[in-house]
Amino acid sequence: SNTHVGITLTVSSLAGILFVPALANFADRTKKLTLKHITMIVSGITALIAMALLFVPSNIFIVGALIVLLQVFFGSQTSLITTLAIEHINSGTPVNFSLARGVGSLAFALLSFFLGFLVNRFGTVVILLGDILLMGLTILLVGLFPRPERPVSLHNEEPQASGLAEFAKKNPVFMVMLLALTLIFISHNLINTYLVRIIQFVGGDNSNLGIAAAIAALVEVPAMALFPILYRRHPQAGTFLKIAGVFFVIKAVATLAAGSVGGIYAAQTLEALSYAVFTPASVFYVNQVIPDADKVKGQSLMMLTTSMSGLISNLAGGFLLDSSGGVPLMLICGTAVSALGLLMLFMDLSLGELGAP
């Protein structure tokens, strides 16, 4: 039922919030496994869980538990692969990370489109089969990554990774920024999660929903592809985070003000200056301000801002939609919370152009 789906996703978010920092802490501290090997192991476990879902009995508790595990392990790959790419960038390999991430958005749009038809014809089993195939390809591609060359250290000992509590104490500006971004993302997640209700409120249907989602995914591609050029001219990731924050709020206001499907489409184009800028900027920001020994942890905590805001918005959004205020009240509350987060972001990053701890 819808209730079971909601509970499963909420538990997945909570489990991810606990697991992802712990995995990042392990990746930063371990000397026995490289980041590449950890990424391959996590991808392999994800594939095995998907395989198990093909054969387990249709028991709601077993299936629910496996889906929670699948979500947790699948989600934890993002920060690992991101940090793997940053390792190569720092060692001098010309990796265009933002373009790769833009292609990821395009792949998401195309894969979702075709999977819709395949699911209608063959059932949801194709999603699990697709997951197993893609995880196999991930293991293969990550396995082909060469070992990045590390800069020669002038010291005899490498710096040690911090524990989570120590990391938070050493990086107070960074931690406040994470809270600010979590609040900014509230409106973004409300719009994405409940876009179908927003579309229906202005008189649209499911076909309009598909177009609106496709617009948001497609406009991300050129914006992410152009990011390296802009970043080379102004290599201050904190500035780009501010720009993204401003446009998250503008998009929330535009969605609130939209009185038609066309207005929603127009608001969705602002994804190019909000999420499409935030994604690469957040990665480079962590790379700028967090020491090498804690980079996996930093990237993972940055990724958790979306999980935390998603958890809050999924729970609060449903309650607000069911209230007498409906869609307008949900969007007003989301916009207000995101504006508060934007204010915190500007105050926090004003402590230094890079927001350095």
Side-chain angles (χ1 to χ4, degrees), residues 177-194:
M177 187 211 61
L178 293 180
L179 175 59
L181 290 175
T182 299
L183 295 178
I184 289 173
F185 260 96
I186 293 290
S187 63
H188 175 76
N189 281 317
L190 283 173
I191 292 169
N192 282 354
T193 302
Y194 298 106

Side-chain angles (χ1 to χ4, degrees), residues 6-24 49 64-76 164 300 304 307-308 310-311:
I7 292 172
T8 303
L9 292 177
T10 300
V11 173
S12 298
S13 296
L14 287 170
I17 289 167
L18 295 173
F19 177 76
V20 172
L23 176 64
I49 297 170
L66 286 173
I67 287 176
V68 167
L69 289 173
L70 184 68
Q71 292 272 72
V72 168
F73 278 92
F74 182 83
S76 64
L164 289 173
S300 297
L304 278 182
S307 298
M308 284 291 293
L311 179 64

Side-chain angles (χ1 to χ4, degrees), residues 178-241:
L178 293 180
L179 175 59
L181 290 175
T182 299
L183 295 178
I184 289 173
F185 260 96
I186 293 290
S187 63
H188 175 76
N189 281 317
L190 283 173
I191 292 169
N192 282 354
T193 302
Y194 298 106
L195 184 59
V196 61
R197 301 299 182 208
I198 298 170
I199 290 285
Q200 290 169 349
F201 181 76
V202 296
D205 55 23
N206 285 337
S207 63
N208 302 124
L209 172 66
I211 294 171
I215 289 172
L218 291 174
V219 297
E220 289 178 6
V221 181
M224 289 185 179
L226 290 171
F227 183 83
I229 299 173
L230 298 174
Y231 185 70
R232 279 197 295 270
R233 294 182 178 181
H234 187 81
Q236 304 292 345
T239 300
F240 287 103
L241 282 180

